Amino acid sequence: MSQLLALVIVVFILLVGDLVAVRTRAWIPSMFVSAVLFLIGYWTFFPKEIVALAGVPSAVAVMMMYLLITNMGTLLSIRELKNQWKTIVIALSGILGIVAVLLSVGTLIFGFQTMVVAVPPLVGGVVSALIMSEGAKEAGLASLSVFAIVIYVMQGFAGYPLTSLVLKKEGKRLLKQYREGGLASTEVAATAEVAPPTELKLFRRLPEKYNTEFFKFFRLSLVAYLAYLTSTLLAPVVSVSPFVLALLFGVIATSVGFLEKQVLQKANGFGIAILVLMLFIFDGLKQATPGMLLEILVPLIGAIVLGVAGMYIFSFVAGKILKVSKEMAFAVSLTALYGFPADYIITNEVIKSLTEDEKEREALTSHMLPPMLVGGFVTVTIVSVVLAGIFVGFL
């Protein structure tokens, strides 16, 4: 298969996902449709390395991830991060729910080792899945080594449609408040500071003609590199994910006037970055063969169902206490099942499906997107890796 044919096929799959999401008004998320089509492709005629063959090797995907996450930081102000303490509590509550239910009910049904392997990948990303997979392999648990990867790959099938469903309910509730004038004077006014127009204070004397796309890319990549360098320097003392620091450094760089809001969009690079990262995510589906799925199907479904149930119960209670709607609380917790960029993509899909009015979309975005982004980073990027480091010692 030629590179261009591979590129045409994988981009066509993303297009089909987009069309289905638009046609169904986001009731069927594009991520879900694309994941199903990639899975079918890998089981039929796709080369296993079709994504790399199309021109998206892991090194390119990692580069785009740094740029995208740093760019996401430009959407959040320092004040907004402080305001998101409720989101952090709810996200942690959801993870606590997964751990509590899987290690109690799940252990009784499927066994302790199976649930120990299941928890970190279920609340996290590829790093925690790989940690548990390697730990199980070293412990001589071959099937559980595969299980760790497959549960990471398959958890999105539950997370994508559920998130879309609850966000649509939340969006309709907020939209009604906005149209009645209630939201504009409270929540929107309070969250309007999420991403204020930021003057490039450090370059205020620079003529606009010199603020080229390459200058934007340079500043964005420099901030991302500083985040990576800081993570490396801290490594002997404390392990901090460079992606977490990239988000934080994006916030700081925007606040001091080094980066403008949504700098990647203004550099005309956002679309290709999302394309690359989505393909990298779906590349993980090549691990899941039909035989592998059949062998671990029951514990796989059981772990996901129990985990989501625990997540809902605990996030519901936390939401009640913190006076956050049950839909928003559950959506924030569900980010544990996929993280970035799926949280960003699904949230935007839902918002676009609810209204054509730009002001209404801005109001919904200011309320719904920051908690989803913060929730995703708390669960997938931070907590899951910590849990994996602890749980791997139980094997």
Side-chain angles (χ1 to χ4, degrees), residues 304-334:
I304 292 175
V305 169
L306 290 173
V308 170
M311 182 188 298
Y312 176 76
I313 294 168
F314 277 63
S315 65
F316 177 82
V317 173
K320 275 286 187 185
I321 295 171
L322 298 174
K323 297 182 180 179
V324 174
S325 72
K326 62 180 184 293
E327 289 85 8
M328 196 69 239
F330 191 29
V332 165
S333 295
L334 283 168

Side-chain angles (χ1 to χ4, degrees), residues 66-84:
Y66 272 109
L67 295 182
L68 273 166
I69 292 175
T70 307
N71 183 68
M72 287 302 103
T74 68
L75 291 170
L76 299 167
S77 67
I78 293 177
R79 178 175 295 183
E80 177 59 26
L81 285 178
K82 292 178 181 177
N83 291 341
Q84 290 298 327

Side-chain angles (χ1 to χ4, degrees), residues 81-139:
L81 285 178
K82 292 178 181 177
N83 291 341
Q84 290 298 327
W85 68 270
K86 290 184 179 181
T87 296
I88 296 171
V89 172
I90 290 170
L92 293 176
S93 299
I95 291 176
L96 183 60
I98 293 177
V99 175
V101 173
L102 289 189
L103 292 188
S104 56
V105 179
T107 296
L108 293 175
I109 301 173
F110 302 111
F112 179 70
Q113 286 185 322
T114 301
M115 291 299 99
V116 164
V117 171
V119 169
L122 194 59
V123 301
V126 66
V127 175
S128 54
L130 290 174
I131 290 173
M132 297 311 297
S133 179
E134 289 300 313
K137 188 185 297 182
E138 291 176 6

Side-chain angles (χ1 to χ4, degrees), residues 238-301:
V238 61
S239 178
V240 182
S241 169
F243 297 124
V244 175
L245 292 176
L247 178 72
L248 179 61
F249 278 37
V251 174
I252 296 171
T254 308
S255 298
V256 300
F258 186 76
L259 291 178
E260 52 266 80
K261 179 175 85 74
Q262 296 184 326
V263 60
L264 195 56
Q265 285 92 325
K266 292 175 181 176
N268 297 313
F270 185 75
I272 190 68
I274 286 289
L275 170 69
V276 167
L277 203 52
M278 286 182 70
L279 290 178
F280 181 61
I281 291 170
F282 296 131
D283 183 52
L285 291 171
K286 67 186 178 186
Q287 308 276 1
T289 64
M292 182 191 299
L293 291 182
L294 286 174
E295 181 183 346
I296 57 178
L297 187 61
V298 174
L300 175 69
I301 295 174

Side-chain angles (χ1 to χ4, degrees), residues 89-218:
V89 172
I90 290 170
L92 293 176
S93 299
I95 291 176
L96 183 60
I98 293 177
V99 175
V101 173
L102 289 189
L103 292 188
S104 56
V105 179
T107 296
L108 293 175
I109 301 173
F110 302 111
F112 179 70
Q113 286 185 322
T114 301
M115 291 299 99
V116 164
V117 171
V119 169
L122 194 59
V123 301
V126 66
V127 175
S128 54
L130 290 174
I131 290 173
M132 297 311 297
S133 179
E134 289 300 313
K137 188 185 297 182
E138 291 176 6
L141 306 168
S143 62
L144 290 184
S145 176
V146 173
F147 181 62
I149 296 296
V150 174
I151 199 168
Y152 158 70
V153 169
M154 301 302 292
Q155 62 192 358
F157 285 93
Y160 302 152
L162 274 176
T163 303
S164 183
L165 179 65
V166 295
L167 281 181
K168 281 182 80 74
K169 290 184 177 180
E170 174 71 2
K172 287 177 180 178
R173 182 185 71 84
L174 293 174
L175 201 55
K176 183 181 178 183
Q177 287 186 19
Y178 179 82
R179 288 170 178 171
E180 292 174 352
L183 190 65
S185 60
T186 55
E187 290 168 328
V188 170
T191 58
E193 297 167 341
V194 172
T198 304
E199 181 188 8
L200 285 174
K201 299 173 187 175
L202 300 183
F203 304 99
R204 57 163 57 98
R205 295 183 180 179
L206 182 74
E208 182 60 30
K209 64 181 179 179
Y210 293 116
N211 189 17
T212 64
E213 281 83 0
F214 289 127
F215 187 48
K216 292 181 176 73
F217 273 118
F218 169 74

Side-chain angles (χ1 to χ4, degrees), residues 52-70:
L53 184 61
V56 186
S58 58
V60 174
V62 170
M63 174 188 71
M64 290 301 186
M65 190 177 298
Y66 272 109
L67 295 182
L68 273 166
I69 292 175
T70 307

